[in-house]
Amino acid sequence: MKKTGLVFFPAFDWAISPTHPEREERLLYTRDQIFEEGLMDLPQITEYKPRLATKKDVARTHFCVPNVAGQTTEAHLIAAGGALVIADALMKGEIHNGFAMVRPPGHHAMRVVHGNRGFCNINNEAIMVDYLRHKYGIKKVAIIDTDVHHGDGTQDIFYHDPDVLFISFHQDGRTLYPGSGFTNEAGGPAAYGTTLNVPLPPGTTDEGIHYVLDNLILPVLNEFQPEIIINSAGQDNHYTDPLANMKVSAQGYAQLNQKLAPDIAVLEGGYAIETALPYVNTGIILAMAGLDYSHVIEPDYNKNQLVQSPEKTERIKETVEELLAVWKQRNKIELGVLAHKSDFYQRQKTIFYDTDYIHENQVEKVRLCYDCAGYITIMSQAFHHNDRRSKVFCVAIPFNACQRCYNDAHNDYMNAVRSEAYDYVYLQNKAEDVYRIFTNVGTKKLEEF
Amino acid sequence: MYIGIDVGGTFTDAVLIDKDRVISKTKFPTVHDNLLLSLLEALDRVTDQVDNSLIERVVISTTLITNLIVQNKYEPVALVLEPGPGLNPRDYPFKEDTFIIDGAIDYRGRQIIPLDKRQLDLTISEIKKKGYRKAAIVGKFSGRNNAHEIEVGNIFNRAGIITELGHKVSGRLNFLRRAATTMLTVATRDEHVKFVDTVNKAFRDRQITAPIFILKADGGTLSLEDSKKAPVETVFSGPAASTLGAMALSPEGEDTVVMDIGGTTTDLALILSGKPVLASKGATVKGYYTSITSYAVRSVPVGGDTAVAVKGNDIDLLYERKGPAYCFGGPYPTPTDALLVLGYYSHGNVEAAKEGLVKLAEPLGCDVKTVAQKILDKFSQSITGAIEDMFLSWEQEPAYRVWELLHPTQIRPQNIIGVGGAAPGITQAVARLINCTPVIPEHAEVANAIGAAVAQPTLKATLRIDTGEGLYTVEENGNQGSVSKFSSFREEDAVRLAKEQLLKMADDLHVPVDTGSVEVTHSEVFNVIRGFTTTGRIYHVTVQTPRKILTRLYKQGGQDA
């Protein structure tokens, strides 16, 4: 019998600040519940020790400004490393699935990182996906983001990658941070339809979540046929979560994991640390281990209070219809038509870092390429609250880069270095797993690893 | 003078120690259906030349409880569990009759579901109808609040059922381990009490008035009388005895692998910075994890009597005993024969050993000494592999704090100490393979008894103090009480309360404690924040008496090989 692997890293000595929701206490009651339950003793479960992700593991996914050390504490590296430990155990065939119950979380961290957004600095799932692709040659990946907040960071990182299916359901961006994740955000031109966002009305219940799962997520997964399914497992859709307004129960979450059958789940948000997390985490672990979770019930659970209005049900159905239409049309976007207009697809973004109070402006360009995923350049300028500014230029070469993209990306990088217009210039060469930071501030220097 | 007696599965060993010297020692085959007789025989042999009034203390390690459990020699117990929300009780590992009752306590010790008295009455009549006299009553999170267990226990006792309550057995988190341990406690208590009373009488008959202690699996001691409260703590005291014995016979404060070589198995333990390593999961008894703390011991299925045969172009260990060694008239050549031929061992018939090894040497076309060396190498390799595994799994213990992960401990032993009959040759061979100093002490053959003789009581109090709930609980004995809510309670108050509880525990167990030596071994604080306000603090504090042994015999009695 292959087991369910667990990495439990509650970071009992790390917090954003003493009273911040992301603090030492967050997984304390979860620890109590799963230890008292004796889950780690069950023959179906095996516990792994996390490790620190390396600088290179982070640089494979992110452009950290000014560098990886500047954006990560050890706790971040261990949380990401915890996900890598589970990934290794899965790929070595030691486990049939696994759950990295780690903090701090990561799904709001985008490709370029100037600071902390939504409690996240680096994206644990994305780092794990890039690691799986680099080390094990995994190509097709599906990430299902079940956190109540839109997984905007993960979306950003895989927006132009047709081999990563990213589906996020979340409380509607008009009513909740980060204010994005609408149905029209469906992927870049070369990856249209492989990003699917399901904004849900506040007050959505187990019924609503499972409607989305049964009618959208599972059929799409079935068609996409990923090699690996990842649950970006936020637990803040729970009816007691203090930061959101949904009505999902521990049973709802456990059933979701049973049906979705993710290969790997990585913990994201969830801030009802007493009323939800001990029960939701126990439910997810039992479901992943194939054990009966029907006895995992919150003390105050009352089915009659968790009812969804018919109007909301109707709205959810409409959203699912709309997204199914997007999914069906995904191959109809003719790359040639777009390429005819311009060789590059360009988008401008403004990003707000709520935790660190930073405004960022970005111009992102993607080569529309027939032979590979196309290389990406990002010009990013950040305005910090203390008037500090930084301007950076980033070049990303995909794993499967064609010769033309590879050469042009290098040229763009060298031109940026020569121009002296940027504080930092980055080259992320995933094809050869080599990462460079050129520093223009003070003494010019080049770091490569 | 101190006496240590280890009533082991094969041999009963005893030593009489004066200060740091072994005055007399004995070793003879254990009489299986009469452990008491074996114990007293050993006692009489080591004391026959001394005045019994000079004996200051006696420590006994025995397999009595282990045997009772393994051989099912106990009255069946009904398991009464209050699981609350969580795993479906259907998936519990227990083979015992299990009765599930309603009610629940949560992780902060709050009642979330009250008890159902009517259901309890029905449960009692069902238990009686099935013929049970005894019940183990265990609730999830009873270590955080014992109110439900106490109430259920009272109702059961009034109905004439003999009970044990989970929180009294262990307050550490792990409901299933606690349930198994509580069941074993109530199951073995009567037999253990009988044993204790007989031992006491036998000692009185011999005019031995010294206090008598019994060794626990964690290497600590309990007075014989107090062991009645926690009989299962005495399981697996054998490996604890051999580890402590090795500790007394090896260099102080260093990292040492303990290798106890028996006839069919070799038990390994680790001493790091002079302290034995404890197992992270509780001892396994009857296939159940328990909350009994024990040393991390690994058993390798090879020993002096392991049969050896030719396989292909090489020899192979058969991982089983086919009888005694060739040199003692057995049917198969063994590592003991190899050691004898190589001059590392001095009992048995050398000629017979050579005869046995020739059977292996001929088909391989080599001489007897070469074969003997091959056997020793194979044996050493299987032990070396297990030692490496032990270190790796020790390094792989989970860590829940950033600090722990940033300070990984990668230790390889400085010494390897071999105890048991076949120790000398094998210890040297293994030491060469893992590059450390072999220690082959004098008196190694009675290391277990020495370990018992030098064992000391260790007391530990682990408190969880929740100032939000105004409640504290003690893991070790299930005590609980109230503290003033949040406002003025500080970390120093937490430590003071923990020390008070430790002293109380020492009083109950009649253990003298020097208050100055009590140290804080673990302390952490969590702010309880609701909204953006601190509404309390949760402290986890552990205080303990220093883990020491009574005396060391290394310099005096031991010697480097």
Side-chain angles (χ1 to χ4, degrees):
Chain A
M1 176 181 62
K2 275 196 198 168
K3 300 183 176 200
T4 290
L6 285 185
V7 162
F8 180 56
F9 187 67
F12 281 150
D13 49 357
W14 185 88
I16 288 183
S17 68
T19 59
H20 195 281
E22 193 49 68
R23 62 176 183 275
E24 296 90 341
E25 190 193 359
R26 192 174 151 227
L27 291 177
L28 182 60
Y29 312 104
T30 294
R31 188 270 312 257
D32 289 352
Q33 188 74 36
I34 62 181
F35 282 24
E36 174 70 347
E37 209 72 62
L39 293 189
M40 307 300 193
D41 287 356
L42 294 175
Q44 292 86 348
I45 288 167
T46 180
E47 189 180 6
Y48 287 86
K49 181 183 192 168
R51 61 176 160 91
L52 280 91
T54 64
K55 185 158 75 166
K56 198 163 182 171
D57 290 327
V58 179
R60 195 177 291 121
T61 300
H62 291 291
F63 296 107
C64 289
V65 183
N67 53 32
V68 174
Q71 287 301 338
T72 53
T73 63
E74 288 94 355
H76 292 103
L77 296 175
I78 299 168
L84 301 185
V85 166
I86 290 293
D88 280 330
L90 181 79
M91 295 312 294
K92 283 188 215 151
E94 292 171 8
I95 56 174
H96 79 91
N97 61 15
F99 185 10
M101 230 184 306
V102 294
R103 54 177 288 267
H107 76 147
H108 293 304
M110 298 192 171
R111 199 192 291 265
V112 180
V113 180
H114 288 282
N116 185 301
R117 298 181 67 247
F119 320 161
C120 306
N121 282 71
I122 56 172
N123 194 315
N124 302 326
E125 284 95 356
I127 289 170
M128 181 178 78
V129 167
D130 283 337
Y131 176 81
L132 280 166
R133 299 177 120 189
H134 164 72
K135 187 165 176 191
Y136 299 101
I138 297 278
K139 194 175 173 215
K140 289 181 89 177
V141 179
I143 304 171
I144 313 302
D145 190 311
T146 57
D147 190 282
V148 77
H149 303 94
H150 175 221
D152 56 350
T154 316
Q155 168 173 309
D156 178 67
I157 292 166
F158 298 110
Y159 204 64
H160 302 295
D161 191 330
D163 293 318
V164 176
L165 172 68
F166 176 72
I167 308 179
S168 174
F169 66 74
H170 42 261
Q171 184 176 326
D172 188 329
R174 288 173 300 187
T175 56
L176 194 68
Y177 179 86
S180 56
F182 297 97
T183 50
N184 63 326
E185 299 161 39
Y192 184 76
T194 58
T195 294
L196 294 173
N197 280 299
V198 195
L200 297 169
T204 298
T205 63
D206 290 356
E207 183 198 339
I209 302 287
H210 281 269
Y211 183 86
V212 173
L213 186 69
D214 297 338
N215 296 284
L216 176 73
I217 299 175
L218 294 179
V220 165
L221 278 175
N222 190 39
E223 248 186 276
F224 184 73
Q225 289 291 316
E227 291 159 68
I228 246 173
I229 297 175
I230 295 158
N231 179 3
S232 190
Q235 311 185 339
D236 30 16
N237 282 291
H238 193 264
Y239 62 89
T240 60
D241 197 90
L243 306 186
N245 316 86
M246 304 293 257
K247 287 185 176 172
V248 173
S249 70
Q251 283 295 310
Y253 265 114
Q255 264 165 36
L256 178 142
N257 279 279
Q258 185 184 24
K259 286 193 206 168
L260 184 63
D263 297 291
I264 299 175
V266 180
L267 182 68
E268 283 299 338
Y271 298 93
I273 61 173
E274 283 205 76
T275 45
L277 293 196
Y279 306 103
V280 176
N281 280 318
T282 303
I284 292 178
I285 294 168
L286 293 181
M288 287 185 75
L291 288 157
D292 179 19
Y293 52 78
S294 63
H295 288 235
V296 183
I297 292 166
E298 303 88 333
D300 64 345
Y301 178 76
N302 180 349
K303 201 170 189 226
N304 299 328
Q305 285 176 359
L306 303 177
V307 181
Q308 190 174 283
S309 70
E311 295 77 31
K312 284 177 186 166
T313 306
E314 204 43 49
R315 230 163 91 197
I316 294 168
K317 283 186 178 174
E318 284 167 12
T319 307
V320 166
E321 285 311 309
E322 189 189 339
L323 288 164
L324 282 172
V326 169
W327 173 248
K328 286 195 182 98
Q329 286 169 28
R330 70 190 181 282
N331 294 325
K332 299 218 174 87
I333 298 285
E334 187 48 64
L335 207 60
V337 177
L338 287 161
H340 185 68
K341 288 186 181 167
S342 160
D343 193 23
F344 286 88
Y345 165 82
Q346 177 175 319
R347 58 174 180 160
Q348 300 203 4
K349 292 187 280 186
T350 57
I351 298 156
F352 178 59
Y353 291 66
D354 60 323
T355 317
D356 281 347
Y357 209 79
I358 302 166
H359 289 274
E360 180 193 359
N361 292 328
Q362 270 191 19
V363 178
E364 182 192 63
K365 285 187 185 178
V366 188
R367 155 71 64 68
L368 298 171
C369 181
Y370 281 104
D371 303 318
C372 72
Y375 80 99
I376 297 171
T377 65
I378 300 168
M379 197 283 287
S380 157
Q381 201 166 9
F383 303 89
H384 295 251
H385 64 95
N386 55 5
D387 272 358
R388 189 159 64 82
R389 293 170 182 215
S390 54
K391 193 174 178 187
V392 304
F393 189 76
C394 315
V395 179
I397 300 175
F399 288 101
N400 59 349
C402 67
Q403 198 60 47
R404 185 172 73 117
C405 280
Y406 185 91
N407 292 344
D408 291 353
H410 264 279
N411 280 338
D412 283 4
Y413 167 74
M414 287 314 297
N415 288 337
V417 166
R418 279 187 215 108
S419 77
E420 301 197 354
Y422 304 100
D423 299 322
Y424 301 95
V425 183
Y426 300 86
L427 179 68
Q428 188 182 63
N429 180 352
K430 294 190 192 183
E432 282 158 353
D433 206 33
V434 172
Y435 307 92
R436 281 189 192 169
I437 305 174
F438 173 76
T439 308
N440 225 346
V441 182
T443 328
K444 290 182 178 33
K445 66 172 198 256
L446 179 69
E447 196 190 345
E448 184 176 290
F449 49 97
Chain B
M1 287 189 287
Y2 314 128
I3 290 179
I5 305 172
D6 174 48
V7 188
T10 318
F11 286 102
T12 296
D13 302 342
V15 289
L16 178 72
I17 296 177
D18 188 15
K19 295 196 180 68
D20 49 20
R21 280 186 323 119
V22 174
I23 304 292
S24 66
K25 55 185 177 183
T26 187
K27 189 177 187 72
F28 75 94
T30 300
V31 182
H32 274 277
D33 46 13
N34 200 340
L35 298 183
L36 185 73
L37 176 107
S38 313
L39 191 161
L40 296 175
E41 177 70 28
L43 173 73
D44 292 342
R45 286 193 189 186
V46 288
T47 54
D48 67 348
Q49 302 289 327
V50 296
D51 176 357
N52 282 353
S53 69
L54 294 175
I55 298 167
E56 293 162 75
R57 61 167 225 159
V58 181
V59 183
I60 300 164
S61 147
T62 165
T63 51
L64 172 77
I65 297 296
T66 317
N67 289 353
L68 288 178
I69 294 170
V70 171
Q71 297 163 13
N72 272 324
K73 285 188 182 158
Y74 57 82
E75 196 182 322
V77 174
L79 207 47
V80 179
L81 303 179
E82 185 201 75
L87 186 63
N88 186 338
R90 193 196 63 199
D91 292 330
Y92 291 168
F94 305 115
K95 292 177 273 298
E96 284 72 19
D97 252 335
T98 306
F99 302 84
I100 301 299
I101 58 172
D102 288 346
I105 303 284
D106 80 356
Y107 38 78
R108 287 189 73 189
R110 299 170 295 208
Q111 168 177 289
I112 49 178
I113 304 170
L115 288 169
D116 178 346
K117 303 271 169 55
R118 257 197 43 180
Q119 184 201 34
L120 287 177
D121 290 339
L122 292 173
T123 307
I124 288 171
S125 38
E126 203 186 335
I127 285 174
K128 284 187 163 173
K129 205 165 68 193
K130 288 194 166 179
Y132 291 103
R133 289 194 318 129
K134 298 176 174 177
I137 296 163
V138 189
K140 200 175 280 176
F141 288 115
S142 63
R144 295 281 161 92
N145 181 352
N146 56 31
H148 280 194
E149 278 186 1
I150 289 175
E151 194 174 347
V152 176
N154 288 339
I155 294 170
F156 272 58
N157 289 339
R158 279 200 294 275
I161 295 175
I162 301 163
T163 59
E164 181 61 82
L165 308 180
H167 74 272
K168 292 196 167 172
V169 169
S170 171
R172 235 182 319 162
L173 293 175
N174 201 314
F175 175 59
L176 297 182
R177 291 188 200 174
R178 189 161 62 246
T181 317
T182 310
M183 184 273 291
L184 294 170
T185 301
V186 63
T188 55
R189 178 169 291 141
D190 291 352
E191 274 303 309
H192 184 73
V193 167
K194 223 185 287 170
F195 173 78
V196 166
D197 292 343
T198 332
V199 169
N200 266 327
K201 182 174 178 302
F203 275 69
R204 274 199 308 276
D205 290 348
R206 287 165 173 73
Q207 268 94 45
I208 296 175
T209 51
I212 308 167
F213 298 89
I214 194 150
L215 190 67
K216 297 191 296 170
D218 67 355
T221 57
L222 265 180
S223 79
L224 197 57
E225 206 52 38
D226 289 322
S227 74
K228 289 176 177 175
K229 292 179 201 158
V232 286
E233 294 279 341
T234 68
V235 296
F236 301 127
S237 58
S242 80
T243 309
L244 285 175
M247 205 172 139
L249 295 168
S250 61
E252 190 169 1
E254 296 190 355
D255 301 326
T256 302
V257 174
V258 180
M259 184 169 66
D260 184 353
I261 304 165
T264 50
T265 59
T266 297
D267 292 329
L268 299 170
L270 297 180
I271 298 174
L272 298 183
S273 308
K275 294 192 173 75
V277 173
L278 294 168
S280 58
K281 291 196 174 180
T284 313
V285 184
K286 269 204 138 170
Y288 301 152
Y289 286 115
T290 67
S291 39
I292 303 162
T293 311
S294 70
Y295 287 156
V297 182
R298 184 166 298 211
S299 204
V300 189
V302 291
D305 290 346
T306 300
V308 185
V310 173
K311 190 182 173 190
N313 291 328
D314 204 356
I315 52 120
D316 204 16
L317 303 175
L318 296 181
Y319 298 100
E320 58 177 324
R321 187 177 190 266
K322 302 267 194 188
Y326 225 88
C327 63
F328 293 118
Y332 271 79
T334 67
T336 302
D337 295 316
L339 290 169
L340 182 58
V341 166
L342 292 171
Y344 289 123
Y345 189 69
S346 51
H347 304 283
N349 182 341
V350 183
E351 291 314 309
K354 282 184 183 163
E355 227 174 89
L357 294 188
V358 164
K359 284 212 234 163
L360 304 174
E362 271 180 354
L364 296 176
C366 61
D367 63 21
V368 166
K369 286 226 158 161
T370 313
V371 162
Q373 193 57 50
K374 274 178 192 276
I375 294 173
L376 193 54
D377 290 347
K378 283 265 173 190
F379 194 132
S380 308
Q381 279 158 14
S382 60
I383 289 177
T384 313
I387 292 173
E388 271 301 312
D389 270 3
M390 242 182 137
F391 273 98
L392 284 179
S393 67
W394 181 72
E395 281 161 14
Q396 283 303 315
E397 286 290 307
Y400 304 121
R401 279 168 198 78
V402 175
W403 189 90
E404 294 168 74
L405 264 160
L406 295 183
H407 297 81
T409 22
Q410 210 207 13
I411 294 175
R412 286 297 177 268
Q414 293 157 279
N415 316 297
I416 179 157
I417 176 166
V419 299
I426 290 171
T427 308
Q428 292 192 18
V430 175
R432 252 198 312 276
L433 284 176
I434 61 173
N435 192 26
C436 60
T437 314
V439 181
I440 301 147
E442 199 189 343
H443 312 307
E445 78 285 4
V446 288
N448 285 24
I450 291 175
V454 301
Q456 288 267 59
T458 51
L459 282 184
K460 193 168 101 182
T462 306
L463 267 71
R464 179 184 178 280
I465 303 158
D466 184 333
T467 67
E469 296 293 319
L471 185 78
Y472 76 84
T473 48
V474 185
E475 278 188 6
E476 284 74 12
N477 58 12
N479 279 353
Q480 66 183 53
S482 52
V483 292
S484 62
K485 288 217 177 187
F486 184 48
S487 59
S488 59
F489 199 89
R490 290 162 199 282
E491 198 158 351
E492 22 325 349
D493 301 314
V495 171
R496 192 168 51 239
L497 182 60
K499 286 186 175 169
E500 267 169 39
Q501 288 296 315
L502 183 87
L503 293 178
K504 204 158 155 262
M505 205 184 281
D507 233 29
D508 292 345
L509 295 173
H510 317 99
V511 175
V513 168
D514 163 23
T515 38
S517 70
V518 175
E519 47 193 34
V520 179
T521 53
H522 177 79
S523 169
E524 62 187 29
V525 190
F526 293 93
N527 286 324
V528 177
I529 292 157
R530 296 297 169 269
F532 284 88
T533 328
T534 307
T535 58
R537 286 207 176 101
I538 293 174
Y539 296 89
H540 287 280
V541 186
T542 307
V543 293
Q544 68 178 42
T545 57
R547 285 180 177 265
K548 280 195 208 148
I549 49 176
L550 207 54
T551 181
R552 308 190 68 86
L553 293 85
Y554 173 62
K555 284 289 179 213
Q556 293 76 14
Q559 61 186 39
D560 283 16

